[in-house]
Amino acid sequence: AQTVTQSQPEMSVQEAETVTLSCTYDTSESNYYLFWYKQPPSRQMILVIRQEAYKQQNATENRFSVNFQKAAKSFSLKISDSQLGDTAMYFCAFMLPDGGATNKLIFGTGTLLAVQP
Amino acid sequence: DTEVTQTPKHLVMGMTNKKSLKCEQHMGHRAMYWYKQKAKKPPELMFVYSYEKLSINESVPSRFSPECPNSSLLNLHLHALQPEDSALYLCASSHEDSTIYFGEGSWLTVV
């Protein structure tokens, strides 16, 4: 069975600084997807970034980037130039593609990030 | 456009009421999902529809009844709920690239 672990329940960062959120996972599969979702106080779950396990290059989306270490089963999220709007719960998630259109996300427990002015 | 629309945003219902949550997407996604989320917890998968057929039911009580009238719509019918069913209900959809997109959620309070 696959598991996702986020060991930092809460984190705080000053505006304009950089913060890294940790995520580790466990699987015996070689082909899978990893995601970071952001859930601000409005509660909508927003996709931040996606990584395919077969790609060695780390995904980036503007100020968000990941450090994907497949051998170590680690998938951390780096947020550069933190903004007040980045305050949210961040969930790391794992998915095994099933070849069809139904895919189950396995979520970590989340990291609550507070950006301080 | 990655929009999943849910209505209503907020719903308060009594334990004897029958109500429905609605979800719509126009992205051509063939899979749609219902998740339940309690405060400070990750979402929990309830149901998955693939090509308008129920493909996954995560042992959800029968007081929750999903329906997929067509490829763009997903309903969750609610009947005889309990106060512990109060939660945020998230609808989501996905295409073959596996990325799942979520709606804004429906806040449900059972009184």
Side-chain angles (χ1 to χ4, degrees):
Chain A
Q2 284 67 231
T3 59
V4 177
T5 301
Q6 293 179 251
S7 58
Q8 305 152 315
E10 296 185 19
M11 293 191 72
S12 181
V13 64
Q14 292 296 124
E15 201 174 1
E17 298 199 341
T18 295
V19 65
T20 298
L21 309 183
S22 300
C23 173
T24 58
Y25 58 93
D26 190 25
T27 184
S28 58
E29 303 291 332
S30 60
N31 185 28
Y32 48 87
Y33 300 107
L34 294 164
F35 304 87
W36 279 98
Y37 283 91
K38 163 186 175 181
Q39 191 173 39
S42 66
R43 301 306 298 272
Q44 181 170 13
M45 191 77 75
I46 301 166
L47 176 68
V48 175
I49 204 162
R50 159 195 162 110
Q51 175 81 43
E52 290 89 347
Y54 63 86
K55 290 186 177 178
Q56 291 188 336
Q57 186 173 5
N58 290 324
T60 64
E61 284 289 338
N62 301 314
R63 298 182 294 108
F64 299 87
S65 61
V66 297
N67 183 4
F68 174 47
Q69 301 289 327
K70 191 172 184 178
K73 297 180 183 175
S74 171
F75 184 60
S76 60
L77 175 70
K78 185 171 83 171
I79 305 174
S80 304
D81 185 25
S82 296
Q83 300 176 359
L84 296 177
D86 296 332
T87 293
M89 179 73 89
Y90 286 81
F91 290 102
C92 179
F94 173 99
M95 176 192 289
L96 282 177
D98 67 359
T102 58
N103 299 289
K104 293 182 68 170
L105 278 172
I106 298 167
F107 286 96
T109 51
T111 296
L112 183 60
L113 176 67
V115 179
Q116 307 291 343
Chain B
D1 186 6
T2 55
E3 188 169 304
V4 178
T5 304
Q6 291 187 241
T7 56
K9 295 286 189 287
H10 299 271
L11 178 63
V12 179
M13 61 184 291
M15 290 188 283
T16 58
N17 291 159
K18 287 185 180 181
K19 296 285 186 183
S20 297
L21 303 181
K22 298 185 184 300
C23 176
E24 189 170 4
Q25 58 89 11
H26 294 289
M27 296 177 280
H29 291 174
R30 307 312 295 188
M32 296 186 75
Y33 310 75
W34 281 114
Y35 285 82
K36 174 184 177 179
Q37 187 179 23
K38 297 286 244 182
K40 298 187 179 180
K41 298 288 187 183
E44 299 173 7
L45 183 64
M46 300 174 72
F47 302 104
V48 181
Y49 272 83
S50 176
Y51 292 89
E52 301 167 44
K53 288 185 169 45
L54 183 63
S55 61
I56 296 177
N57 176 342
E58 294 285 26
S59 303
V60 178
S62 60
R63 56 186 184 268
F64 295 91
S65 175
E67 178 196 20
C68 189
N70 60 55
S71 60
S72 300
L73 294 174
L74 185 66
N75 299 321
L76 186 63
H77 301 300
L78 314 170
H79 174 54
L81 295 192
Q82 303 298 310
E84 59 264 29
D85 296 322
S86 298
L88 178 69
Y89 288 84
L90 293 164
C91 176
S93 67
S94 70
H95 200 53
E96 280 82 7
D97 73 348
S98 304
T99 301
I100 293 180
Y101 298 95
F102 289 84
E104 293 184 359
S106 292
W107 284 98
L108 174 66
T109 303
V110 182
V111 297

